[in-house]
Amino acid sequence: MNLYETIKKRISVRKYKEESFDDDRKEKIIKIIESCKDIYEGQNLTLKLIENNAPSAKNKVSLGFAGGLVKINAPYCIAAVSEEKEGFLENAGFVQEELVLKLTALGIATCWLGTFNDRYLRQELNLKENKRILNVIALGYAYEGKSFAGSVRAIARADKRKYVEEFAYYKEFGSSIKPFLNNHKSIENICGMSSLYPSSNNGQPVYVIFGDNNARIFIKSRDGSYRDPKRLDAGIFMAHFYLSCLEEGFNVKFTKEAHSMAGGIPGGFHYVNSFSVDKEWN
Ligand SMILES: Cc1cc2nc3c(=O)[nH]c(=O)nc-3n(C[C@H](O)[C@H](O)[C@H](O)COP(=O)(O)O)c2cc1C
């Protein structure tokens, strides 16, 4: 399965088979987790695979939604643990979404979750005070029959995404991207694949402004601080964006610009990061 097929296939799965992974599968998953690398220097994200189906600990992680009222029965989850420092959420979003896509390509169902029993997991993982569990990723084999949890995606219209023109601009914030898209097939693909990023409550808070050989990423948020949860969504978007750039043949570098807010960026929008590419977009 190529990258674009994988991105289109990934959805949040909320109902799982009871089935555990066999040893071979588990080993593959552990290898993928171990191969995850921070994108920002100085970060120390750790990803811990947790069995949620052992008889003694069944569903104690309390994976769920609707504030925990409805449980998600995934047999495993991966907890993302990090210190809080500048860039930690973007880093975590990026790294885990790349992981989610690799798991999807292996036929494993996932769901990003902010709903879990933090106290229980902290104890299980014996975490030091300076460490936080940012989120967990539920995983297992998808249950294919009918169920309430399984129908939440359709009920919540979680398949709905912003159109590219609603979050992407050329040069000026608010300008129409259409003429640029018409002459740049690669950007159409990159934006289309980026639009499919999962985000908390499907809020899609990320915006992008293209230059001729770069792109600046913003979030719309009241907070905007480095601890703003929307920065996790930004990291997820960045993973889709970055991987799609590679797929389209661009070499990409992340940069933080000093004058990033120049160019008529309205209030309530916050700069996240920039991508620069080794040639003009085409
Ligand atoms: C950071 C983050 C936290 C999330 N937390 C939850 C959660 O607690 N419960 C849940 O059911 N879904 C959760 N989701 C899944 C989103 O609701 C889902 O990604 C979004 O609605 C888009 O749907 P899709 O992933 O099926 O495309 C979370 C997603 C993200 C990115």
Side-chain angles (χ1 to χ4, degrees), residues 10 12 14 64-65 112-115 153 158 161 198-200 236:
R10 185 221 59 82
S12 293
R14 295 183 176 84
F65 54 91
W112 276 86
L113 292 173
T115 311
R153 187 173 194 260
R161 290 298 191 273
S199 55
S200 186
I236 300 172

Side-chain angles (χ1 to χ4, degrees), residues 29-30 33-34 36 44-52 61 76-82 96 99 121-122 124-128 131-133 135-139:
I29 293 168
I30 291 169
I33 294 174
E34 285 172 353
C36 288
N44 49 13
L45 178 74
T46 45
L47 299 168
K48 315 248 187 196
L49 181 67
I50 292 148
E51 305 215 4
N52 193 32
V61 191
Y76 301 87
C77 68
I78 297 167
V81 178
S82 175
Q96 291 178 84
L99 167 65
L121 260 191
R122 285 194 73 82
E124 276 301 288
L125 298 172
N126 200 12
L127 294 185
K128 292 196 181 133
K131 299 278 187 182
R132 231 186 87 189
I133 305 171
N135 65 275
V136 302
I137 305 279
L139 66 155

Side-chain angles (χ1 to χ4, degrees), residues 73-139:
N73 72 332
Y76 301 87
C77 68
I78 297 167
V81 178
S82 175
E83 282 168 38
E84 291 192 350
K85 51 168 91 166
E86 185 85 39
F88 74 110
L89 289 171
E90 295 146 41
N91 181 68
F94 188 107
V95 173
Q96 291 178 84
E97 183 61 4
E98 198 175 6
L99 167 65
V100 159
L101 293 174
K102 284 182 180 163
L103 294 172
T104 307
L106 269 188
I108 293 166
T110 58
C111 187
W112 276 86
L113 292 173
T115 311
F116 58 90
N117 186 333
D118 185 62
R119 232 172 93 180
Y120 170 77
L121 260 191
R122 285 194 73 82
Q123 268 175 8
E124 276 301 288
L125 298 172
N126 200 12
L127 294 185
K128 292 196 181 133
E129 222 157 83
N130 64 341
K131 299 278 187 182
R132 231 186 87 189
I133 305 171
L134 309 181
N135 65 275
V136 302
I137 305 279
L139 66 155

